[in-house]
Amino acid sequence: MTNRRLFLKNIVLLSSLSLTSCGWRLAEVRATANNKGSRDQLDIYTWTQYVDQELFKNFNAETGIKVFTDVYDSNEVMLNKLQAGGGGTYSVIYPSDYMVQKMVEKGLLLELNHQRLTALDNLFPRFQNPSYDPNNRYSIPFNWGTTGLIYNSEILKNPPEDWEYLWQNQQQLNKKITLLNDVREVMGAVLKMLGYSYNSKNETEVKQAYEKLQALKGAIVAFDTDAWRNKILAGDLLLSMCYSSDAVKIIQENPKFKYVVPKSGSSLWTDTIVIPTTAANIDGAYAWINFIFQPEVAAQISQRLWVTTSSRAAFELLPNKIKNNPNVFPPDSILEKCERITPLGEIEQVYDRYWTELTSG
């Protein structure tokens, strides 16, 4: 959703990726990349977690296109930059699901030519006609997951089951917890805990969520989306609100940490790939999408970064330890409790006002 996700200074890079063994028709990608009007540079605006220099080198070797990236830590930062005219060189962007809707409404996205895409037939059915972008007219789903709580199980012997845990154990958790730096996620979680929708448009309900958070504010170290990772590993934190993709990486480093999706419900997010209307290299953008959605390549990305994939063909290539990991691919029993974040219109100003009051001072 916003502020996503991994601060991967030490990404474990793919040491070798044999593209010629992928069954991928490289000639087709070369042809795509060399169409009239193409360029030898592709500028990508993305989340930190998706920056992979080894993958960029492989793409360059096979297409002649060199990849350059800028990163953002929230959908809103990305949108503001584009609207301010700072995104003129980007040909590929990775917005989250609800932001796709906003960008379409603002006329910022190019409608995709499905005849130029090879990935669509491999998508899981749930991703072929998503509510935020019917028929994938403007976006291709890339990575998805849940929002929840990661905690130190060696110290917190009574594990959290719901959001209410933070208030019930406020004394023990004092100055040992962080929440995401994300208005819709944090307010949405509390709304869900109170029995309302993550996407409530009722100002009274939003105010109740704000007041609940004010009662917890003194125990919160920070509203943070990246820096908490090092802090919790160092023992400075006991619990953090996070995205599942972050949690999986932390648990791989130290299994004493556990992740839970609160029983009252949470959010279900999807990061997508889009082409902005101002794209400088549209041919290169299509070549990139087709490149990373090749089943073998997508499976390698999933294994290396422990992220999900929207590709059914890629999923089938994954080892069982990833396929059967509920933190990576949550079961329907968890997904049924989750909501997608959706644009709220004018009431978003109410959310923003309360958020400013909550996080300032």
Side-chain angles (χ1 to χ4, degrees):
M1 321 264 345
T2 60
N3 275 334
R4 187 94 64 239
R5 324 262 191 269
L6 302 170
F7 186 64
L8 298 180
K9 286 186 177 179
N10 297 313
I11 291 178
V12 180
L13 295 176
L14 177 63
S15 60
S16 63
L17 176 60
S18 178
L19 294 175
T20 56
S21 66
C22 292
W24 178 41
R25 293 169 294 182
L26 297 178
E28 291 189 6
V29 175
R30 290 195 185 98
T32 301
N34 288 304
N35 283 343
K36 182 178 180 181
S38 67
R39 306 185 183 192
D40 60 3
Q41 176 174 324
L42 183 68
D43 291 290
I44 297 178
Y45 199 23
T46 186
W47 304 97
T48 303
Q49 73 192 91
Y50 303 137
V51 176
D52 185 343
Q53 297 298 334
E54 190 70 19
L55 197 60
F56 299 160
K57 290 177 184 178
N58 288 327
F59 179 70
N60 175 246
E62 298 304 331
T63 66
I65 301 174
K66 189 171 184 179
V67 175
F68 296 87
T69 60
D70 284 336
V71 298
Y72 53 87
D73 62 359
S74 78
N75 282 289
E76 283 68 30
V77 167
M78 176 271 293
L79 180 62
N80 290 338
K81 183 173 183 178
L82 261 62
Q83 291 184 302
T89 63
Y90 301 129
S91 296
V92 173
I93 304 177
Y94 285 64
S96 300
D97 40 22
Y98 80 98
M99 186 53 66
V100 171
Q101 292 178 265
K102 283 190 174 184
M103 296 175 79
V104 169
E105 293 171 358
K106 296 177 182 296
L108 297 174
L109 299 185
L110 187 72
E111 185 167 356
L112 298 176
N113 181 348
H114 286 190
Q115 293 183 344
R116 301 187 65 178
L117 296 170
T118 60
L120 295 177
D121 290 341
N122 285 333
L123 294 179
F124 280 107
R126 73 168 69 99
F127 294 114
Q128 292 182 0
N129 188 31
S131 59
Y132 59 86
D133 182 22
N135 298 315
N136 300 108
R137 290 182 62 191
Y138 298 92
S139 66
I140 304 296
F142 178 64
N143 178 32
W144 58 281
T146 58
T147 302
L149 299 171
I150 187 171
Y151 63 96
N152 187 327
S153 65
E154 289 185 352
I155 298 177
L156 299 179
K157 302 299 184 181
N158 179 29
E161 294 183 356
D162 207 350
W163 301 111
E164 188 70 40
Y165 181 92
L166 279 66
W167 284 263
Q168 295 171 343
N169 297 273
Q170 187 168 339
Q171 185 173 355
Q172 181 183 9
L173 297 173
N174 188 48
K175 299 303 181 182
K176 294 287 185 178
I177 59 176
T178 61
L179 300 183
L180 290 170
N181 184 23
D182 186 318
V183 54
R184 293 298 307 281
E185 285 284 12
V186 174
M187 295 289 283
V190 181
L191 284 164
K192 198 72 173 174
M193 180 185 71
L194 295 173
Y196 307 131
S197 169
Y198 230 81
N199 301 296
S200 174
K201 294 184 178 182
N202 185 310
E203 187 167 351
T204 299
E205 295 174 358
V206 176
K207 182 180 179 181
Q208 290 179 32
Y210 161 73
E211 291 173 343
K212 189 77 174 177
L213 284 163
Q214 276 287 13
L216 184 68
K217 182 178 179 180
I220 301 170
V221 175
F223 294 91
D224 169 56
T225 303
D226 288 327
W228 68 268
R229 298 178 68 248
N230 290 331
K231 292 178 181 178
I232 200 169
L233 284 169
D236 297 329
L237 299 173
L238 295 178
L239 180 150
S240 290
M241 180 185 185
C242 69
Y243 302 105
S244 56
S245 53
D246 290 304
V248 171
K249 288 293 295 182
I250 293 291
I251 294 169
Q252 290 303 307
E253 294 186 47
N254 193 328
K256 74 179 180 182
F257 295 102
K258 307 296 181 184
Y259 175 74
V260 61
V261 177
K263 64 182 182 181
S264 63
S266 188
S267 71
L268 175 66
W269 51 264
T270 303
D271 284 340
T272 74
I273 298 179
V274 302
I275 303 176
T277 54
T278 54
N281 188 355
I282 294 176
D283 289 339
Y286 279 108
W288 174 255
I289 294 172
N290 289 332
F291 174 83
I292 65 172
F293 273 99
Q294 289 299 309
E296 291 81 2
V297 176
Q300 287 283 359
I301 294 171
S302 186
Q303 290 183 69
R304 186 170 64 259
L305 301 182
W306 282 84
V307 297
T308 59
T309 177
S310 61
S311 169
R312 177 174 48 193
F315 177 81
E316 294 301 325
L317 298 176
L318 294 175
N320 288 333
K321 68 177 181 179
I322 296 182
K323 283 183 181 180
N324 300 328
N325 187 325
N327 294 333
V328 183
F329 293 98
D332 289 341
S333 59
I334 290 179
L335 297 179
E336 289 169 357
K337 299 185 295 183
C338 297
E339 290 184 69
R340 289 194 179 278
I341 292 179
T342 60
L344 298 177
E346 293 182 1
I347 199 172
E348 287 187 1
Q349 298 175 11
V350 176
Y351 279 75
D352 291 340
R353 184 178 73 247
Y354 282 128
W355 184 251
T356 300
E357 293 179 11
L358 180 68
T359 57
S360 61

